[in-house]
Amino acid sequence: MTDKRAGTGSPDWAYNWGDGTGLLGMDQPEEIDAAFERGEPHVGVAVIGLALNYSDPVAILPRIARALRSDSEELRRQGTVALAHVARLHHSVDTECLALLRTRPRGNEADDDLWTFVRHRRLPLWLWRHHLPQHTKWLLWDRWRA
């Protein structure tokens, strides 16, 4: 199998937009843009793949924001998962994704991963309000019980 990142020939596999095969290996932001334009049903899986495989969060976050703005609940959920992966792997988030995440129900994957992996001073007050009571309880009570 040819290494798709080395640029040495074409890989022995291809992204299958029909059934989603190979999309978790996505590492081409421009392919995601084209899939959004075509209205591909598995574009959310590809956005998650991009979050897992692409090294530049500045290129990933606008695609996540596009997923979070979608009319499809499933695509918004997949965008939330992708944002959690970016927070975990790159310790990064942008203001647009935070604003879109605020419209999602609290307690999702991205809330927890942002709180855990992104510097707290970069996080908005609404996320502090969600996590601070739990953190304070641990500091004042649970930490000393064991």
Side-chain angles (χ1 to χ4, degrees):
M1 180 183 251
T2 305
D3 183 5
K4 62 184 175 177
R5 291 177 189 92
T8 57
S10 63
D12 295 337
W13 55 272
Y15 303 122
N16 186 337
W17 291 100
D19 65 5
T21 305
L23 295 179
L24 281 178
M26 177 62 66
D27 64 352
Q28 301 169 10
E30 61 281 349
E31 184 71 24
I32 301 278
D33 295 337
F36 271 118
E37 295 303 319
R38 292 191 306 265
E40 294 289 350
H42 297 289
V43 70
V45 176
V47 170
I48 293 171
L50 187 69
L52 291 170
N53 298 303
Y54 200 69
S55 61
D56 182 14
V58 173
I60 302 167
L61 290 169
R63 279 84 183 176
I64 292 173
R66 190 167 180 181
L68 290 170
R69 276 192 305 270
S70 172
D71 293 334
S72 164
E73 176 60 31
E74 180 66 14
L75 186 51
R76 288 192 307 269
R77 189 188 64 75
Q78 290 166 330
T80 303
V81 170
L83 185 58
H85 287 308
V86 169
R88 189 177 322 110
L89 297 172
H90 302 289
H91 309 281
S92 182
V93 68
D94 65 3
T95 55
E96 181 181 17
C97 286
L98 285 171
L100 293 165
L101 182 65
R102 188 174 187 181
T103 66
R104 307 288 297 146
R106 295 286 57 84
N108 60 56
E109 303 89 348
D111 282 355
D112 296 338
D113 284 355
L114 285 167
W115 185 257
T116 303
F117 296 104
V118 175
R119 292 180 185 257
H120 291 165
R121 69 174 181 247
R122 296 187 59 213
L123 299 175
L125 184 59
W126 58 264
L127 197 55
W128 277 79
R129 278 193 306 257
H130 173 69
H131 281 279
L132 202 54
Q134 176 184 29
H135 187 68
T136 303
K137 179 184 175 285
W138 177 82
L139 278 174
L140 297 175
W141 181 257
D142 296 338
R143 179 178 181 186
W144 307 104
R145 288 183 60 182

